[in-house]
Amino acid sequence: MAEIRDEAAAISADLIELRRSIHAEPEIGLDLPLTQRKVLDALDGLPLEISTGTSLTSVTAVLRGGQPGQTVLLRGDMDALPVTERTGEPFTSRIDGAMHACGHDLHTAMLAGAARLLSGRQAELAGNVIFMFQPGEEGPGGARIMLAEGVLDAAGQRPVAAYAMHVISSLLPPGLLGGRPGPIMAAADQLHVTVHGRGGHGSQPHSAADPVPAACEIVLALQTMVTRRFDVFDPVVVTVGTFHAGTADNVISDEAHFVATVRTFSPQARAAFAVAAPKLARDIATAHGMTATAEFVDGYPVTVNNPAEQAFAEQTIADVLGAGKFITAPHPATGAEDFSYVLEEVPGAFVFLGSCPPDIDPGSAPFNHSAEARFDDSVLADGTALYAELALRRLAAG
C-alpha cells in the first residue's frame, strides 16, 4: 500500500501548484468557470470520459477499469466563500471578497490527483470510478443539482459506494483523520416567522397590536420547546440569526420578522421540529390576538455515514496512511454538508482530514470559514492517496 502513497508524493508538486492556482482565483456558488477550466486542464490527456454540467459548472469524469466490476464515486467540492482573505499567504486570493476559507481548493486538487493515479492503474482497476467535481456546496446545494443531472448514472450503473473528505484548519493536526459511523454532520434548515400585528404610536400600545413582544416570546419559547419536547440524546439546535421590526423608537410596527437556523441530527427530530415549530409560532401569536406566518424551509439533510463503509474507510486509512492516523469522533459536527444528498442515495463515508499548518496550535487555530484560516499543503498527497486507494480497494472487494 505504500506504493500509492509514493506515487502521490511523487506528484505532490503538481498538486500544490493546482491547489494554489485555484486558491488565488476563488469563485463562489454554482458558476465557477475559472475553476472548471483548471480542473479540465488537470485531467487533460487522462483516459477519462468527461462531461460538464448544464445548470452549473460541474465536471464529471468516468474512468472505466480494464476489468469488469462495479462503480465507486469520489467527490470533491470546488466553490469558495464570500470572505476577504487575511492569511498573508503568497498565493492569497486575487478576487476581492472571495476566499477558499473552507479548503475546497485542496479537495479539488486531491480529487484531480486521484484521477491521475487511478488512470495509471486503469488496467488493474476492477470496475469504474466516477469523479464528481462539484460547485455550490456552500449554500446552493450543487450536489443535489448534479444528482438531478445524472452524476450517479454517469458510468451506466449506479455506484455501490461513495466517499468524500473535508479538510479542517484547526482541531486536528495535519494528516490525522476523524469520522464516525451514523450521523457525521447535521441537517441545516431554516425557520421563517413573521408576526402580523397592527401598527400605532409607541406611546399608546393599547390602541395597537404590537408584534415585537409576541415575536420575542416565540424566540424564547422555541428554546424551551427544544429542551422539553426533544430527546437530549437526539439534539436540536435553534439559533435566531436575524430579527427585524420597526422603523423608529416611537412607532409600533405592523410586523416583526425573524429567521432561525435549525440543526438536527436525525430524520425523526428534523421532521418533528418541522411540524412543531411553525405551530408553536402561530399559537403564541394567536394568544396575543395576532396571526403569524411560519415556514420551515428545508436545507441540507443529515449527513449519515454507512457503518460498513465507514469501517472500510477506517481500515483503508490505517493501511495506507498508518496505524493511529484515524480517530473516532464522539459526536457529529453541527455544520452541514450537501454530500448528504449523495449519501441518501448511495452508501458511503465522509471523513475529516486535519490540515492545520504545523507551526500553529490546532486548538487555537482559526477554523474553517475564517478570513485567517490556513491549510497545510503537506496533506495533499495523503488525501490523494486515500481517495485512490478507497476506489481501488472497494472495487476489488466487489
Side-chain angles (χ1 to χ4, degrees):
M1 298 313 147
E3 188 177 349
I4 277 281
R5 248 184 120 183
D6 293 341
E7 291 176 15
I11 65 169
S12 61
D14 292 341
L15 300 175
I16 292 170
E17 182 181 1
L18 176 58
R19 180 255 162 158
R20 293 185 176 187
S21 174
I22 294 170
H23 188 94
E25 295 185 291
E27 298 172 292
I28 299 168
L30 299 173
D31 187 27
L32 319 176
L34 297 176
T35 308
Q36 183 188 57
R37 183 72 262 161
K38 289 179 173 68
V39 169
L40 292 172
D41 288 345
L43 302 180
D44 187 44
L46 300 179
L48 302 168
E49 299 171 12
I50 295 177
S51 59
T52 55
T54 300
S55 55
L56 74 175
T57 53
S58 60
V59 176
T60 300
V62 176
L63 176 63
R64 298 193 183 277
Q67 301 177 39
Q70 298 175 318
T71 296
V72 165
L73 181 145
L74 304 175
R75 179 272 213 158
D77 40 5
M78 305 191 293
D79 58 319
L81 284 158
V83 173
T84 299
E85 184 164 358
R86 297 199 308 269
T87 63
E89 297 278 23
F91 48 92
T92 290
S93 169
R94 298 196 295 265
I95 308 297
D96 289 341
M99 176 190 173
H100 270 291
C102 205
H104 296 184
D105 49 336
L106 284 85
H107 305 163
T108 304
M110 291 188 295
L111 189 58
R116 184 169 163 182
L117 295 186
L118 290 171
S119 292
R121 293 169 173 253
Q122 184 179 23
E124 67 186 77
L125 196 65
N128 312 310
V129 182
I130 300 172
F131 301 93
M132 178 181 176
F133 292 90
Q134 179 214 309
E137 191 281 323
E138 297 288 356
R144 177 177 48 81
I145 299 172
M146 287 190 72
L147 290 177
E149 293 194 354
V151 66
L152 295 183
D153 299 308
Q157 60 178 358
R158 291 221 154 188
V160 295
Y163 305 103
M165 277 181 276
H166 204 303
V167 295
I168 52 176
S169 60
S170 63
L171 303 179
L172 296 177
L176 187 64
L177 293 103
R180 68 191 306 275
I184 180 69
M185 295 192 80
D189 304 300
Q190 291 183 335
L191 178 68
H192 293 248
V193 175
T194 301
V195 178
H196 307 281
R198 188 175 67 257
H201 198 289
S203 67
Q204 299 184 35
H206 62 283
S207 62
D210 189 351
V212 172
C216 291
E217 188 171 323
I218 294 169
V219 170
L220 295 176
L222 286 169
Q223 305 304 324
T224 302
M225 183 181 75
V226 163
T227 65
R228 290 296 174 266
R229 294 178 60 180
F230 289 89
D231 189 340
V232 67
F233 297 109
D234 188 7
V236 176
V237 178
V238 182
T239 298
V240 175
T242 70
F243 192 111
H244 299 285
T247 56
D249 68 298
N250 62 347
V251 175
I252 292 175
S253 175
D254 288 325
E255 294 182 343
H257 176 74
F258 69 82
V259 180
T261 185
V262 181
R263 306 293 166 127
T264 52
F265 299 89
S266 73
Q268 295 78 18
R270 188 187 190 203
F273 190 91
V275 174
K279 183 178 185 300
L280 178 72
R282 291 190 293 266
D283 288 350
I284 290 175
T286 298
H288 285 268
M290 289 172 269
T291 61
T293 303
E295 181 184 13
F296 183 86
V297 180
D298 288 340
Y300 292 172
V302 184
T303 305
V304 181
N305 282 341
N306 176 275
E309 296 298 342
Q310 176 65 30
F312 165 77
E314 291 178 28
Q315 185 60 55
T316 303
I317 290 165
D319 291 344
V320 176
L321 302 180
K325 284 289 188 177
F326 180 87
I327 60 171
T328 299
H331 309 291
T334 51
E337 214 338 305
D338 77 344
F339 191 61
S340 54
Y341 292 115
V342 176
L343 294 181
E344 285 187 327
E345 301 288 334
V346 179
F350 180 89
V351 297
F352 294 103
L353 173 59
S355 306
C356 180
D359 60 336
I360 303 177
D361 177 9
S364 59
F367 193 58
N368 289 29
H369 291 214
S370 166
E372 298 175 351
R374 293 172 54 212
F375 301 87
D376 189 54
D377 286 330
S378 69
V379 305
L380 289 169
D382 283 353
T384 296
L386 181 56
Y387 266 136
E389 195 65 48
L390 284 168
L392 279 170
R393 285 178 168 231
R394 187 61 180 81
L395 290 176

